[in-house]
Amino acid sequence: MKNTATDFDVLIVGAGISGIGMAAHMKTKTPDHSFAIVERRENLGGTWDLFRYPGIRSDSDMHTLGFDFEPWTHEKSIADAPAILEYLDRIVDERDIRKHIRFEQKVLAADWRESDARWHVTLETAEGERKHLTANWLYLGSGYYDYDEPYDPGFDFGEFEGQVIHPQFWPEDLDYAGKKVVVIGSGATAVTIVPSMAKKAAKVTMLQRTPTWMFSRPAKDGIANFLRKILPERLAYKITRWKNIKLQDIGFKRARTKPDKMGEALHKRIRKSMGADFDLADFTPPYNPWDQRLCLVPDDDLFDAMKSGNAEIVTGHIKAFEKGGVRLKDDTFIPADIVITATGLKLAVAGKIALSREGVPTDLAEHFYYKGCMFSNVPNLAVVFGYLNASWTLRADINSDYVCRVLTHMKATEADIAVPVLDENHELEEDDIFDFSSGYIQRSKHIMPKNAVSYPWRLNQEYIIDRKRMAEDPVDDGNLEFRRHGANAKDGFEQLEAAE
Ligand SMILES: Cc1cc2nc3c(=O)[nH]c(=O)nc-3n(C[C@H](O)[C@H](O)[C@H](O)COP(=O)(O)OP(=O)(O)OC[C@H]3O[C@@H](n4cnc5c(N)ncnc54)[C@H](O)[C@@H]3O)c2cc1C
């Protein structure tokens, strides 16, 4: 048996949506399990606190980006970061979660030791002090991108004399009133920044190499707000959430089966705002809708900014940065006082934690996903990697609920190890982890865990099916092996090694 108690039953890494969600699920579903959240930053909220660029907002509706257990009650369904942080803060306070959070503690390494069935975790404080603690489970709510460095496309800013800013590190005091701004990129971040900065800047140019499919919708959900007036808050939320899940699902499947029709519908919506003769070249990507995430334009804000003359989109390739702006390969010159490089994120796996088992490094890229939550032959470790074709929190909720079910089963059967066992001679057929063509995904495939064609060894992208499986399939499914470290610890790791 264990000689000393573990510090925590569960160590949650990250106080963003995923980490806070897991804590809230544990409070109600596994109240006898101890847990702590360790967070490298000084605030909670993760993404929603880190990014400070003008207009920062969700591009999913908050009825699905919100948790299943806490209604979203704001009037706007597309929310800005302060409203999302207020929602998370309320959850943390009402559920007494704050006392479990240890801020400014970065997890550097975690080593699994079978002999005492726990992760030995090394942390670093903001002052650079190293600390150690142990936990039976590690739950990674550490997000999916590098908090220290964004993606660097390798621009040479050469002669450029203005300011260069990446949206991940927005200067608090940036004064752009009356200035000429070039925003490089065409993803959700650029599409948010451009109309927002256009309110004060002299001119904002969105410079894109490739167009993106965009869709416009109101930031307020009329049905949701009507239901809230006539129904109890929780019921209204449940109905709106389900409506949006179904609509997302239908929209995604339609794009995959009838891409031309979907493209026409998206174009029709843009022409409705920009006029019947508007040239759609800058809104016509060389790929099908939903081959990459669609980009939301709430309340036509981007189109309105373009119509006002304060914003424009230019499609072209950069030749050089010159003293006063950007020169394109076709010799077009775009004057700029400020360049914003909205060129994307650098993906990171497992919060860049050096994972190991018995001191031997564990590279998750060599392991298969198990139920989009755990990894083949890695014990007591769960992770959240949200949906690409739906809101992140849908996955966070089902994974938290599932891990609570596993913890409950372990307690009932007195097991302290749960490991998805995959035989070394498996004949799993590998599948692309995402069939998305987005640059940030393509660039990072080599660091992502493996994905099989067949369930459960994959990160599936069908929420409605996943939800049912995660909530209803028995946790003891013949793949997830439960054991007690006292009984067979000695050969446990050897078994694992043999299985790989
Ligand atoms: C600008 C932007 C807009 C987005 N909009 C949407 C949207 O509308 N809809 C949607 O579904 N998704 C969206 N996403 C994806 C978004 O990241 C998720 O919705 C969600 O916020 C992720 O929550 P998370 O808690 O898993 O990760 P994060 O929000 O990234 O939080 C992770 C936390 O873990 C901490 N952490 C990381 N590593 C360590 C470590 N080693 N030790 C200690 N702490 C660590 C971080 O400091 C951070 O606080 C957006 C992403 C970005 C960047």
Side-chain angles (χ1 to χ4, degrees):
M1 304 309 288
K2 293 172 198 172
N3 298 327
T4 53
T6 48
D7 293 309
F8 301 101
D9 291 324
V10 179
L11 186 71
I12 301 171
V13 182
I17 287 183
S18 302
I20 291 170
M22 179 59 181
H25 279 271
M26 284 192 71
K27 281 271 178 181
T28 53
K29 294 170 184 166
T30 57
D32 296 335
H33 286 75
S34 62
F35 73 87
I37 303 180
V38 279
E39 167 55 57
R40 56 176 282 178
R41 304 184 66 246
E42 58 187 13
N43 301 321
L44 60 75
T47 297
W48 303 104
D49 184 64
L50 175 74
F51 283 83
R52 304 280 174 98
Y53 56 74
I56 166 84
R57 56 151 172 86
S58 69
D59 58 354
S60 325
D61 68 276
M62 288 306 299
H63 298 90
T64 57
L65 191 57
F67 296 107
D68 61 358
F69 54 79
E70 184 63 38
W72 175 257
T73 55
H74 283 256
E75 201 188 11
K76 278 192 171 180
S77 164
I78 303 302
D80 58 22
I84 299 174
L85 290 174
E86 187 188 303
Y87 175 77
L88 293 174
D89 267 313
R90 181 159 53 81
I91 287 167
V92 160
D93 289 329
E94 285 178 0
R95 288 167 174 75
D96 205 16
I97 291 171
R98 202 175 292 275
K99 69 174 186 219
H100 297 267
I101 309 178
R102 299 171 174 202
F103 289 104
E104 299 190 306
Q105 310 237 344
K106 175 158 71 172
V107 179
L108 299 178
D111 184 41
W112 169 258
R113 303 212 191 129
E114 189 85 4
S115 57
D116 57 5
R118 60 186 83 170
W119 289 96
H120 292 250
V121 179
T122 308
L123 304 111
E124 188 182 64
T125 64
E127 291 76 37
E129 188 197 340
R130 295 277 164 109
K131 289 185 171 182
H132 297 274
L133 54 80
T134 62
N136 179 240
W137 263 81
L138 207 51
Y139 189 92
L140 303 179
S142 44
Y144 66 105
Y145 58 85
D146 196 321
Y147 268 70
D148 302 305
E149 33 173 329
Y151 168 61
D152 175 9
F155 292 135
D156 173 3
F157 292 100
E159 311 269 286
F160 185 59
E161 287 186 341
Q163 277 176 287
V164 178
I165 288 155
H166 193 283
Q168 192 164 327
F169 306 108
W170 199 267
E172 221 172 282
D173 53 355
L174 181 72
D175 177 15
Y176 55 91
K179 303 231 168 113
K180 295 184 278 299
V181 182
V182 170
V183 180
I184 305 174
S186 60
T189 302
V191 168
T192 303
I193 289 176
V194 169
S196 193
M197 291 186 86
K199 289 177 194 154
K200 280 203 255 165
K203 177 94 181 193
V204 184
T205 304
M206 182 168 129
L207 174 57
Q208 59 181 18
R209 204 169 45 181
T210 318
T212 300
W213 285 108
M214 298 198 193
F215 79 109
S216 170
R217 59 176 272 186
K220 289 183 192 166
D221 180 334
I223 297 176
N225 289 338
F226 171 71
L227 291 176
R228 287 184 51 223
K229 281 191 194 132
I230 59 165
L231 293 174
E233 201 73 75
R234 282 190 181 274
L235 180 59
Y237 181 60
K238 213 172 160 182
I239 296 171
T240 305
R241 189 174 160 87
W242 195 242
K243 163 184 79 75
N244 292 357
I245 287 167
K246 288 301 276 185
L247 286 177
Q248 256 168 17
D249 190 46
I250 292 166
F252 179 75
K253 286 186 178 141
R254 191 173 151 75
R256 286 294 164 100
T257 52
K258 295 198 167 109
D260 295 344
K261 286 245 172 305
M262 174 64 99
E264 274 170 35
L266 295 172
H267 275 164
K268 201 169 154 194
R269 188 64 197 74
I270 296 171
R271 279 225 161 105
K272 190 171 168 220
S273 178
M274 297 299 293
D277 298 327
F278 179 70
D279 180 358
L280 288 163
D282 294 327
F283 292 93
T284 309
Y287 56 83
N288 287 331
W290 271 122
D291 278 358
Q292 299 187 11
R293 262 183 101 110
L294 296 190
C295 230
L296 172 70
V297 179
D299 293 331
D300 284 356
D301 62 358
L302 176 67
F303 309 138
D304 289 345
M306 289 169 73
K307 282 190 285 188
S308 77
N310 282 2
E312 63 172 356
I313 300 183
V314 172
T315 306
H317 288 249
I318 296 169
K319 184 175 167 200
F321 288 86
E322 298 180 2
K323 200 172 162 191
V326 190
R327 176 79 58 193
L328 303 188
K329 285 192 177 154
D330 67 2
D331 214 32
T332 309
F333 182 74
I334 311 171
D337 303 307
I338 302 174
V339 167
I340 316 279
T341 53
T343 42
L345 305 165
K346 183 171 155 200
L347 257 62
V349 174
K352 301 198 288 181
I353 299 167
L355 293 171
S356 57
R357 288 165 296 155
E358 316 292 340
V360 180
T362 296
D363 179 359
L364 291 180
E366 289 168 8
H367 295 258
F368 279 86
Y369 267 107
Y370 170 72
K371 297 191 168 177
C373 179
M374 297 178 71
F375 300 102
S376 56
N377 303 325
V378 182
N380 295 16
L381 178 86
V383 73
V384 179
F385 195 106
Y387 287 98
L388 282 172
N389 57 1
S391 292
W392 184 276
T393 315
L394 297 176
R395 169 95 66 199
D397 270 334
I398 59 175
N399 282 13
S400 301
D401 178 69
Y402 173 77
V403 173
C404 287
R405 289 179 64 217
V406 172
L407 292 171
T408 304
H409 180 84
M410 289 170 78
K411 193 153 219 149
T413 55
E414 295 187 358
D416 51 18
I417 301 171
V419 55
V421 176
L422 181 62
D423 192 86
E424 111 182 271
N425 299 317
H426 70 79
E427 290 183 353
L428 293 179
E429 188 187 338
E430 275 192 54
D431 194 7
D432 248 0
I433 190 136
F434 312 110
D435 59 346
F436 268 47
S437 60
S438 314
Y440 73 103
I441 287 171
Q442 295 303 323
R443 284 195 298 272
S444 315
K445 275 184 169 172
H446 63 288
I447 59 166
M448 301 303 286
K450 291 185 190 191
N451 202 43
V453 171
S454 55
Y455 195 80
W457 303 106
R458 62 186 272 110
L459 179 73
N460 210 37
Q461 297 285 337
E462 295 162 293
Y463 169 71
I464 294 175
I465 296 173
D466 295 345
R467 184 176 106 134
K468 194 166 157 51
R469 283 169 167 162
M470 296 292 269
E472 295 175 13
D473 288 358
V475 290
D476 194 357
D477 64 350
N479 294 308
L480 190 61
E481 188 178 294
F482 294 93
R483 49 175 192 256
R484 236 190 18 229
H485 79 282
N488 48 7
K490 206 161 183 300
D491 61 357
F493 189 70
E494 284 155 24
Q495 280 171 18
L496 280 183
E497 277 192 321
E500 280 169 29

